[in-house]
Amino acid sequence: MSRAVTLTILLAGLLVIGSTSPVWAAQMDAKINPNSESSPFKMNYQKTVFIEYPNGGQLFDVLRGQEWTIEGTADSSDPGVQNLIRQLNDKIKADGSQAHISDLNVSYDIHLKARNINTSVDYRVILEGTLTNYVITKDSQKTLVDLGWRGLTANGDVVIDGHEINFPINILLEVEPEAAAFFVGTEAEDVLRKNLINADFILQQPLTNWHFLFDPTGINVDAGTFGLSQEISGFVVSSWTMGESSIREGRQVERVFEAEIVADQPYVVRSVQSSDQGNLYAIGFGALDIFDGVEIAGVTPTPPEDYATTSTGDFPVMIIYGMAAIAAIAGGAFFMFSNRQLKNTKEGQQGIDPSRLQGYQTSASSGGYQTNRGEAQLKDDAGYQQTRSVYDETSEPTEPNPPQPEGAIEEAACGCAASADMGSECDCEMQGACLCDATCGCNAEICKEQANSMS
């Protein structure tokens, strides 16, 4: 019992810790080729800010009817993108990784739409780039790949085409200065100054907590029929994914930050981000390890012999074996209980002994046709009380007859005795018949005659 309580508390603690981590939302998609000097990656950062004015007010008047979109793209030739590359590489180095971003394309989309009770501002920044210098060592059997670069975060301003896209407050100060003035110097400004380009949680979640799966399709003889690219021909593909609620990762929920300000009316500013997600692929079979505090993967062209795993590694295998053992124990207990119950069950004829039954014919002839219908009846009624139908019993208990005076007991033998309470004689003379026997004490003449004739 104490062990069950301990496991329950531990599970609840894991869920609470997983659901309360102070991190930001980002979606990562990267494909690492250990046989190449560079590999592509993609990062998607999204956030929505709601400005709520349920009672109207001056902020509503400022934003009424507003709707606009700011979007654009830029490559590594843009000074703002170069600054972003520098910030990302500084963060990768600070995390202990030797990997390096050599090229980057940035696209951004910011859309504001005002409504009657709130205004929404959608922020989206997409980074598509090239990762280099991720191979630590390589020999004929294994390649060590650096995976500690995952926390792609920019903590400074990112200005592209004259628009600062990393901190939501800045675009409002640029395009909606009157509305942004309501937030400056309040808790709402703190909510709006949380950087959008932030993937710290993807790095903080250990890869051992990610779901692992390898696809051996590439090593098949007919792999070309599956439309696989030449670069993975002859290799398996390892994949690590995160973002699904589980015991390992914790409960993944939207991250909401909210602040209320009071001006002419109370207003609420709330930012909402989806949960972090990550998809990391490596050509070859990857075995995780840690080198100088940085997570790495030892990649081989094919998996070890007799290797088998599930989409979540060894942990689910233990659960599957445990569930199979529990099912086997439960099945054995069920059969043991059933066998014991079967032994305790009476064997042989149940019910009425056939030797006590006799048959008789119930059919009758009609013209020249005679059937052979018959029924079975008991030779005696000794066992009737054991075999009678429960429907023969009355559903309502009968009340005992009240005691009667002695005179009434004698008159009970007379079928037309007078009522003792009323003192009147019977109506035998009026009926012209008598049902009295010799014990009747009725004074009616017809009763006396009947009684004498019977005696």
Side-chain angles (χ1 to χ4, degrees), residues 52-167:
E52 301 178 355
Y53 34 80
N55 301 321
Q58 296 178 4
L59 184 57
F60 167 68
D61 295 334
V62 170
L63 294 173
R64 179 186 300 176
Q66 294 284 20
E67 182 174 5
W68 46 261
T69 299
I70 295 177
E71 58 185 353
T73 59
D75 56 23
S76 56
S77 63
D78 186 280
V81 176
Q82 295 174 5
N83 175 48
L84 177 57
I85 294 175
R86 184 166 50 253
Q87 292 190 51
L88 295 176
N89 284 329
D90 289 345
K91 179 61 166 55
I92 292 174
K93 184 178 180 180
D95 292 335
S97 174
Q98 69 175 34
H100 188 81
I101 295 176
S102 60
D103 190 23
L104 189 66
N105 293 324
V106 180
S107 61
Y108 59 91
D109 185 344
I110 304 169
H111 180 75
L112 179 144
K113 181 175 178 60
R115 302 177 182 84
N116 292 333
I117 60 175
N118 64 37
T119 293
S120 63
V121 189
D122 298 319
Y123 298 84
R124 184 181 184 186
V125 174
I126 299 176
L127 308 181
E128 296 184 77
T130 302
L131 191 69
T132 61
N133 203 33
Y134 48 81
V135 175
I136 300 175
T137 60
K138 183 176 182 179
D139 56 31
S140 59
Q141 296 181 347
K142 181 183 295 185
T143 302
L144 298 183
V145 177
D146 186 346
L147 301 178
W149 49 267
R150 306 187 309 275
L152 299 178
T153 301
N155 294 314
D157 291 348
V158 178
V159 180
I160 298 178
D161 299 330
H163 306 296
E164 203 290 307
I165 60 174
N166 195 23
F167 300 99

Side-chain angles (χ1 to χ4, degrees), residues 17 29 38 78-79 102 110 157 161 171 174 230 253 270-271 287 304 324 350 376 391 401 448 451:
I17 293 173
D29 191 355
S38 62
D78 186 280
S102 60
I110 304 169
D157 291 348
D161 299 330
I171 202 72
E174 175 191 346
Q230 188 66 29
V253 296
R270 185 174 74 256
S271 70
Q350 304 294 322
Y391 297 103
N401 295 327
K448 293 178 180 180

Side-chain angles (χ1 to χ4, degrees), residues 336-409:
M336 289 178 61
F337 177 78
S338 300
N339 188 39
R340 182 176 300 177
Q341 290 295 107
L342 183 61
K343 290 181 179 179
N344 294 334
T345 303
K346 293 182 179 180
E347 298 181 359
Q349 174 66 34
Q350 304 294 322
I352 301 175
D353 187 354
S355 63
R356 295 178 56 202
L357 297 175
Q358 66 178 358
Y360 71 96
Q361 187 172 333
T362 60
S363 64
S365 62
S366 176
Y369 180 74
Q370 175 76 31
T371 64
N372 293 323
R373 295 179 182 175
E375 292 183 357
Q377 288 186 344
L378 286 170
K379 295 180 179 179
D380 55 64
D381 60 352
Y384 172 73
Q385 294 298 329
Q386 297 179 358
T387 60
R388 65 175 180 170
S389 172
V390 295
Y391 297 103
D392 293 341
E393 300 179 0
T394 56
S395 59
E396 298 182 359
T398 57
E399 298 181 358
N401 295 327
Q404 299 179 355
E406 297 180 358
I409 295 175

Side-chain angles (χ1 to χ4, degrees), residues 112-439:
L112 179 144
K113 181 175 178 60
R115 302 177 182 84
N116 292 333
I117 60 175
N118 64 37
T119 293
S120 63
V121 189
D122 298 319
Y123 298 84
R124 184 181 184 186
V125 174
I126 299 176
L127 308 181
E128 296 184 77
T130 302
L131 191 69
T132 61
N133 203 33
Y134 48 81
V135 175
I136 300 175
T137 60
K138 183 176 182 179
D139 56 31
S140 59
Q141 296 181 347
K142 181 183 295 185
T143 302
L144 298 183
V145 177
D146 186 346
L147 301 178
W149 49 267
R150 306 187 309 275
L152 299 178
T153 301
N155 294 314
D157 291 348
V158 178
V159 180
I160 298 178
D161 299 330
H163 306 296
E164 203 290 307
I165 60 174
N166 195 23
F167 300 99
I169 185 67
N170 289 332
I171 202 72
L172 292 177
L173 289 171
E174 175 191 346
V175 184
E176 298 288 346
E178 293 185 47
F182 284 86
F183 313 133
V184 175
T186 67
E187 294 182 359
E189 183 178 3
D190 297 334
V191 172
L192 296 174
R193 284 199 179 277
K194 296 183 183 298
N195 54 327
L196 175 63
I197 304 175
N198 191 318
D200 283 342
F201 183 64
I202 295 180
L203 177 64
Q204 293 170 6
Q205 185 71 263
L207 283 170
T208 52
N209 288 359
W210 293 34
H211 296 273
F212 174 70
L213 181 69
F214 73 93
D215 183 4
T217 307
I219 61 177
N220 293 340
V221 177
D222 55 348
T225 61
F226 295 97
L228 300 178
S229 60
Q230 188 66 29
E231 62 181 1
I232 66 173
S233 177
F235 299 96
V236 299
V237 177
S238 299
S239 64
W240 295 269
T241 59
M242 63 155 287
E244 177 182 323
S245 296
S246 65
I247 296 178
R248 289 185 168 197
E249 296 184 38
R251 189 167 61 95
Q252 303 299 308
V253 296
E254 290 183 337
R255 288 168 174 83
V256 180
F257 301 91
E258 184 176 308
E260 182 176 354
I261 60 175
V262 178
D264 61 302
Q265 293 286 342
Y267 303 115
V268 176
V269 174
R270 185 174 74 256
S271 70
V272 180
Q273 293 173 270
S274 59
S275 60
D276 299 284
Q277 298 179 7
N279 297 293
L280 179 60
Y281 304 92
I283 297 177
F285 178 83
L288 297 177
D289 203 345
I290 295 179
F291 179 75
D292 288 342
V294 178
E295 290 181 292
I296 65 172
V299 181
T300 56
T302 58
E305 294 183 3
D306 301 327
Y307 181 85
T309 186
T310 64
S311 61
T312 50
D314 297 334
F315 178 71
V317 172
M318 296 174 59
I319 292 180
I320 292 173
Y321 286 146
M323 293 176 64
I326 293 174
I329 294 173
F334 172 77
F335 286 116
M336 289 178 61
F337 177 78
S338 300
N339 188 39
R340 182 176 300 177
Q341 290 295 107
L342 183 61
K343 290 181 179 179
N344 294 334
T345 303
K346 293 182 179 180
E347 298 181 359
Q349 174 66 34
Q350 304 294 322
I352 301 175
D353 187 354
S355 63
R356 295 178 56 202
L357 297 175
Q358 66 178 358
Y360 71 96
Q361 187 172 333
T362 60
S363 64
S365 62
S366 176
Y369 180 74
Q370 175 76 31
T371 64
N372 293 323
R373 295 179 182 175
E375 292 183 357
Q377 288 186 344
L378 286 170
K379 295 180 179 179
D380 55 64
D381 60 352
Y384 172 73
Q385 294 298 329
Q386 297 179 358
T387 60
R388 65 175 180 170
S389 172
V390 295
Y391 297 103
D392 293 341
E393 300 179 0
T394 56
S395 59
E396 298 182 359
T398 57
E399 298 181 358
N401 295 327
Q404 299 179 355
E406 297 180 358
I409 295 175
E410 295 179 354
E411 294 179 357
C414 179
C416 50
S419 173
D421 296 335
M422 298 176 61
S424 60
E425 293 185 353
C426 67
D427 59 352
C428 293
E429 296 181 354
M430 292 183 289
Q431 297 292 335
C434 183
L435 302 176
C436 303
D437 58 13
T439 61

